[in-house]
């Protein structure tokens, strides 16, 4: 496979400043994921990306962030990031049925999502399906449900998750842990 030609670094091989930045994430996850093994080769970009992540996530509550992550990753077929967010959602106290609804799994009880979570999920799907075009009704609905600041943060977070999903899919990344399903 061509992606096998792209070097994967160990935690010890990455730049010391990036290692310090990633150690809390590695400790929380219990493993050094393939995403950071690959993109750790560009340490300045990873550090900037993590700073961007913190800033974009700040206005959103955990449930809002997780519904975006799960909806985007499920819609784009990115099992790498989806599985990480399934596991994070459980640690945050969301139950398996809520996770199934956030992902839009077959036979999921979508009524488990609040109106705000539903608006975010629909916004994510609209942005994905139209590549940002024609999603103004979903933007308006999310703004009514959540306000301008959260909708703006959600749009940034949706495109961030789209980028991650694209990268993970392009390199056929996998995790050393299973899905919660």
């Amino acid at each position: 496979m061509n992606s096998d030609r792209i070097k994967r670094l160990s935690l010890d091989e990455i730049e010391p400043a990036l290692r310090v930045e990633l150690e809390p994430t590695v400790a929380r996850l219990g493993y050094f994921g393939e995403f950071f093994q690959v993109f750790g080769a560009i340490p300045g970009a990873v550090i900037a990306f993590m700073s961007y992540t913190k800033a974009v996530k700040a206005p959103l509550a955990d449930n809002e962030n997780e519904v975006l992550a799960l909806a985007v990753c499920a819609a784009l077929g990115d099992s790498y990031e989806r599985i990480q967010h399934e596991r994070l959602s459980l640690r945050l106290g969301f139950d398996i049925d809520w996770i199934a609804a956030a992902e839009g799994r077959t036979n999921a009880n979508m009524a488990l999502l609040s109106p705000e979570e539903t608006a975010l999920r629909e916004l994510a799907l609209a942005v994905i399906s139209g590549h940002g075009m024609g999603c103004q009704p979903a933007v308006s609905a999310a703004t009514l449900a959540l306000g301008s600041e959260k909708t703006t943060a959600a749009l940034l977070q949706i495109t961030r998750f789209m980028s991650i999903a694209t990268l993970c899919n392009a390199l056929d990344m996998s995790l050393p842990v299973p899905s919660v399903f």
Side-chain angles (χ1 to χ4, degrees):
M1 182 177 308
N2 288 337
S3 72
D4 292 343
R5 294 180 184 164
I6 294 179
K7 184 175 179 168
R8 270 70 170 164
L9 303 173
S10 71
L11 188 57
D12 292 334
E13 292 176 303
I14 63 172
E15 180 180 284
L18 179 57
R19 187 176 326 115
V20 168
E21 181 77 24
L22 292 178
E23 283 173 344
T25 302
V26 172
R28 178 178 52 82
L29 293 173
Y31 56 86
F32 183 52
E34 191 175 6
F35 186 88
F36 292 127
Q37 291 173 26
V38 169
F39 297 107
I42 315 297
V46 174
I47 290 171
F49 190 71
M50 292 186 72
S51 178
Y52 175 77
T53 297
K54 290 173 190 168
V56 169
K57 186 178 176 182
L60 301 169
D62 287 340
N63 65 313
E64 295 163 345
N65 188 66
E66 293 311 304
V67 78
L68 292 171
L70 294 166
V72 170
C73 295
L76 295 178
D78 171 23
S79 61
Y80 184 94
E81 190 77 356
R82 177 185 49 79
I83 291 169
Q84 288 193 132
H85 281 279
E86 288 173 354
R87 298 168 70 83
L88 175 56
S89 292
L90 284 178
R91 281 194 304 279
L92 292 171
F94 303 113
D95 69 27
I96 198 88
D97 293 329
W98 183 90
I99 295 168
E103 289 181 7
R105 287 185 171 261
T106 303
N107 299 322
N109 180 359
M110 301 308 284
L112 293 173
L113 299 179
S114 71
E116 295 81 9
E117 292 164 347
T118 298
L120 287 171
R121 185 172 189 288
E122 290 175 1
L123 176 62
L125 297 177
V127 169
I128 291 167
S129 68
H131 303 280
M133 297 175 64
C135 65
Q136 291 73 27
V139 171
S140 293
T143 305
L144 278 172
L146 294 142
S148 180
E149 181 184 21
K150 285 192 177 208
T151 301
T152 303
L155 287 165
L156 290 169
Q157 191 67 308
I158 289 163
T159 58
R160 180 186 157 280
F161 285 126
M162 290 172 71
S163 293
I164 293 169
T166 301
L167 294 168
C168 291
N169 287 340
L171 297 177
D172 195 27
M173 291 185 176
S174 61
L175 288 172
V177 294
S179 170
V180 300
F181 291 99

